Amino acid sequence: MSTMGDGTRAVRAGLPEPEQFEPTLPGPVFAAHFHLSGEPVGPYTYGRETNPTWTHLERAIGELEAPGEDVGTTVFASGMAAITAVLLSQVRSGDAVVLPDDGYQALPLVREQLAAYGVEVRTAPTGGDAQLALLTGAKLLWIESPSNPGLDVCDIRRLVEAAHAAGALVAVDNTLATPIGQRPLELGADFSVASDTKGMTGHGDILLGHVTCREPRLTADVRRWRKVVGAIPGPMEAWLAHRSLSTLQLRIDRQCTTALALAEALAKRTEVTGLRYPGLPTDPSYAVATRQMRRFGSVVSFELADRDTAERFLTSLRLVDDATSFGGVRSTAERRGRWGGDAVAEGFVRFSVGAEDPEDLLADVEQALDAAVR
């Protein structure tokens, strides 16, 4: 499937060989145990270790992450389960890890836990490839590009080469881009990680995460961690995720096109500052992003004057839900400062573009801005 287009690959990924009178995508397998006589060897033994529904989904994600290659994907109950599986399967007390200081909101919690385990945690911003200065003696470098919620981008190839030269493994959180927007393994990363709660499944009704590795040893480490901690997805969630992948290219293309149109419209509004979207030619990250990204994602971030202005804007939106998360077919937006933990202004808005008609969504944003600044 390496020569197929993204849409073809998305609708065919992970499907079993056709079998007469059987469904093209088998239904979810609900099983805590399997028939297992004699020696406990074989693909399916116990429900915490393997499940046929996971197998189909993991193959599908692997085909999207690295078309035509033999890679290993492990699915998890959530994005955070995937993130912690990489970190805690690889580092030990006395090791050093490099994290972004502007990444996903829960990373500070991970940082605290790593420190409690005796791991040295170094942090630097995503922008300007600032993590380069912290690699000496590190065991693992964690990259989040584009970063959430600030949408900064770093040169992944450059950081990977420097980290590998320093003896460090590299994991890339690819949640914002998805594999059809950016392929971290092709850029040299050892782990491609994502919260599939977001754009991969795209409907806001599943919590899921995954880790994909090219090196079998690393895949084995991650899968062992999943077995130890039991951070497994339910079979229904895994089946729904696989079904949702079939529209991945359709959803993402629509969202990215509208996100760029939204960014262009916001750039014309004098009350909007701090506008960020990697696909906007005037964005500080545009040059780097165009070298490593094939699509620029569904998220646009910007600032309004203050907390009250942002709240009025959000309240005035009619087609956009005031909700957290991103990547869904229904547009969402929120004032990120309400959570704490992100170094953002009180009027900072993270806007996730859905699959609505672009003209309807843009009109809604324009009227909400008008209402917010009156």
Side-chain angles (χ1 to χ4, degrees), residues 111-136:
R111 177 181 179 177
E112 291 176 9
Q113 193 62 57
L114 289 171
Y117 289 156
V119 176
E120 178 190 349
V121 181
R122 308 166 185 170
T123 62
T126 298
D129 299 343
Q131 291 172 299
L132 282 172
L134 306 179
L135 293 176
T136 302

Side-chain angles (χ1 to χ4, degrees), residues 14-16 26-60 73 75 223 226-227 235 238 242:
L15 298 181
V29 175
F30 298 97
H33 56 262
F34 302 84
H35 289 295
L36 186 66
S37 59
E39 294 299 315
V41 294
Y44 306 109
T45 57
Y46 184 64
R48 193 182 71 255
E49 297 183 22
T50 50
N51 178 290
T53 310
W54 302 351
T55 299
H56 294 313
L57 175 60
E58 289 172 342
R59 288 174 180 166
T73 295
V75 291
R223 289 191 174 173
R226 181 179 65 181
K227 176 180 176 179
H242 196 169

Side-chain angles (χ1 to χ4, degrees), residues 265-316:
L266 291 172
K268 300 174 183 176
R269 302 284 303 220
T270 57
E271 63 268 55
V272 171
T273 61
L275 175 66
R276 297 301 305 270
Y277 183 66
L280 191 67
T282 55
D283 189 270
S285 293
Y286 181 75
V288 175
T290 54
R291 291 199 300 269
Q292 64 192 24
M293 300 184 74
R294 299 159 59 237
R295 294 170 176 86
F296 300 103
S298 63
V299 178
V300 178
S301 67
F302 56 94
E303 294 179 20
L304 296 175
D306 51 35
R307 173 176 181 160
D308 290 343
T309 304
E311 293 289 359
R312 286 196 300 271
F313 168 71
L314 294 168
T315 301
S316 300

